[in-house]
Amino acid sequence: MPKIHIPVIGYTQGGRRMMTTAMSAPDLVSMVSKPEAWDPVKTTTHGNRPRDNNHMAGIVKYLEDEEHFVLGAAVLYLAEREAEFKPVTVPNVTTEHDAAQFGTLAIDIGAKFDIGDGQHRIGAYEKIVQSRDEDDPVIQRLRNSGQPLIIVIEDDPKHRAQDFADLQRNVKAPTQSMGQSMDRRQPINRELSDLFETSPLFDDRVEYFKDNPGKLSAKLFSFKTVRYVSGLLLVGNGYRSPATMDKAVNGLFEGPGSDPEKARKELTEFWNALGEMVRFADVVSGEMKAPELREATYLTSAGVLYAIAYATYIAQKGGIPIPDAVRALDEVSFDRTRKTASITTEDTIFAGTLIDTETGKLTAGRTAWETAAKDLMKVILENVLGDPAETA
């Protein structure tokens, strides 16, 4: 039977023949079978999870927009009857004892790869290839690029399914804080990284490896928290999904109608003013350690920071400068109450919003910090404008 020959590097893993190579997207999509739904009763195909169209659309957009893209290897399967690895010795380079061997993979014409892992990546390629002309710049970029592949010779569909489960089990996703801080394509991430170098409050006090600093951590906030607080300050709470909020925040720094200097000024004013609040100032000056602040006050709680940022956003929209709004909150006691029941607003301003009145524990949720922000806003109005009733 006529064969297609593909250059590969062969190796053995877990007792099975595997190969690594790369193919261009147009070539790859023509050689894969359409994924079937996972069904443990079937024995002819190993199946796959249902495609997430939103996830696939995100990959399509990434490939279309980003010239310097990177995608990890997809795992594909072939049966022994339809493929054969032929090693090639390279004098003075390879030996028979090497873990990796150069060679060729001979595949029967008409044979199709079974997708083990990577159906969304390959599906995204397929959508682009089918929707664009051959001379389209995106198609040309994909044709000149290689999608890395791991090809496994495995006949048993159940073993193929087990591989998928093992691959998911052995991969650890980064925390949101780490992933966001590494993503330099988003303007807000770049802006915050620059701000960390100049704002005294951030001096080595941002946690990247965890989304919630531990009780004894020397860090005050996670990058994830700083990022969301900054978003609330800049665009408010009118966005119900992280993606739409990201778009609004990033749009202040890049794109039509953007004013990066104004947005940058607002961020700097807010975080510098926060660092001048009595309790935070104690940490900046070295009089108090981060764990001590965390134990004594609610100031490092994400919900409290969200409430402060949102209250400041409302105040600024009402004509109150950011520094004045934040400084006015020094009149608030952010100290933790020691009571664990029958907690009232005399014990903490957050009673019934961010603090459960029956347990004294912090509560989570958008409604909690939004309501707390309204209470903080009253304090700002009273301290900046005087009695709100008189200024109405």
Side-chain angles (χ1 to χ4, degrees):
M1 177 179 290
K3 307 281 186 181
I4 298 173
H5 294 83
I6 300 174
V8 297
I9 296 176
Y11 59 98
T12 298
Q13 191 175 85
R16 290 179 296 172
R17 168 60 65 191
M18 301 187 183
M19 292 144 283
T20 182
T21 187
M23 296 179 67
S24 71
D27 292 335
L28 176 60
V29 298
S30 68
M31 292 186 65
V32 296
S33 298
K34 182 179 179 180
E36 295 186 28
W38 161 247
D39 184 345
V41 177
K42 285 185 177 180
T43 58
T44 55
T45 61
H46 84 277
N48 227 305
R49 57 185 169 185
R51 275 185 174 175
D52 182 332
N53 290 327
N54 289 333
H55 177 52
M56 191 161 62
I59 301 175
V60 169
K61 187 176 188 308
Y62 171 68
L63 290 169
E64 291 177 333
D65 294 348
E66 182 51 52
E67 182 176 354
H68 304 291
F69 69 91
V70 58
L71 290 180
V75 179
L76 307 177
Y77 291 92
L78 290 168
E80 285 196 33
R81 67 179 183 279
E82 58 192 6
E84 181 183 5
F85 172 69
K86 297 181 178 180
V88 175
T89 300
V90 180
N92 302 319
V93 176
T94 61
T95 72
E96 61 179 344
H97 302 295
D98 292 340
Q101 294 179 293
F102 294 112
T104 59
L105 175 63
I107 307 173
D108 292 347
I109 290 180
K112 296 283 187 178
F113 291 116
D114 179 24
I115 303 175
D117 186 50
Q119 64 162 329
H120 291 94
R121 280 160 277 174
I122 296 174
Y125 284 134
E126 184 178 13
K127 278 191 171 296
I128 294 174
V129 169
Q130 292 178 349
S131 64
R132 292 176 178 263
D133 296 332
E134 179 63 29
D135 58 353
D136 186 284
V138 174
I139 295 295
Q140 292 304 311
R141 184 164 69 236
L142 294 184
R143 186 168 290 283
N144 294 330
S145 301
Q147 166 59 42
L149 306 172
I150 295 173
I151 301 173
V152 185
I153 304 299
E154 173 61 71
D155 288 354
D156 189 339
K158 294 300 175 67
H159 285 177
R160 297 181 184 187
Q162 184 64 56
D163 286 347
F164 180 81
D166 290 346
L167 286 168
Q168 308 314 306
R169 181 179 62 190
N170 294 323
V171 172
K172 180 175 175 59
T175 63
Q176 289 189 53
S177 288
M178 175 173 277
Q180 291 170 345
S181 64
M182 287 182 168
D183 185 0
R184 301 285 293 179
R185 290 198 180 92
Q186 293 202 45
I188 184 59
N189 298 337
R190 300 196 302 269
E191 294 294 334
L192 289 177
S193 293
D194 292 342
L195 183 63
F196 293 165
E197 297 179 6
T198 59
S199 179
L201 180 60
F202 291 122
D203 187 19
D204 197 29
R205 298 187 184 96
V206 178
E207 176 63 75
Y208 299 101
F209 303 121
K210 298 178 181 179
D211 289 336
N212 297 292
K215 181 179 180 180
L216 301 179
S217 174
K219 310 297 184 182
L220 286 175
F221 333 96
S222 70
F223 186 89
K224 173 188 174 184
T225 296
V226 173
R227 191 176 187 273
Y228 193 75
V229 168
S230 299
L232 287 173
L233 171 78
L234 293 174
V235 300
N237 69 333
Y239 302 90
R240 296 295 169 174
S241 76
T244 55
M245 186 172 182
D246 281 354
K247 184 177 180 179
V249 173
N250 288 320
L252 298 178
F253 295 96
E254 287 184 357
S258 63
D259 190 346
E261 290 302 323
K262 178 176 181 293
R264 197 171 294 128
K265 179 174 179 290
E266 292 175 359
L267 283 178
T268 302
E269 287 180 343
F270 175 79
W271 288 107
N272 284 350
L274 203 69
E276 293 169 1
M277 290 179 67
V278 174
R279 292 293 203 163
F280 281 126
D282 288 343
V283 175
V284 172
S285 68
E287 296 179 29
M288 178 180 281
K289 302 297 184 183
E292 296 173 329
L293 180 71
R294 188 173 291 112
E295 183 178 4
T297 78
Y298 297 118
L299 278 170
T300 58
S301 163
V304 171
L305 291 166
Y306 297 164
I308 292 174
Y310 184 43
T312 305
Y313 169 81
I314 298 172
Q316 184 194 30
K317 291 300 180 183
I320 300 174
I322 289 175
D324 292 349
V326 177
R327 291 185 189 117
L329 295 178
D330 254 334
E331 298 298 319
V332 175
S333 172
F334 291 93
D335 290 355
R336 290 180 181 270
T337 178
R338 300 304 174 187
K339 295 175 66 175
T340 57
S342 303
I343 298 168
T344 70
T345 53
E346 292 184 1
D347 302 307
T348 173
I349 191 175
F350 301 117
T353 56
L354 286 166
I355 303 299
D356 188 305
T357 58
E358 296 305 317
T359 65
K361 294 182 178 180
L362 281 160
T363 60
R366 188 185 189 100
T367 301
W369 59 257
E370 285 179 338
T371 308
K374 294 177 182 178
D375 292 335
L376 294 179
M377 185 61 200
K378 293 176 184 177
V379 175
I380 294 172
L381 290 175
E382 290 171 359
N383 284 279
V384 176
L385 302 179
D387 187 343
E390 295 179 2
T391 60

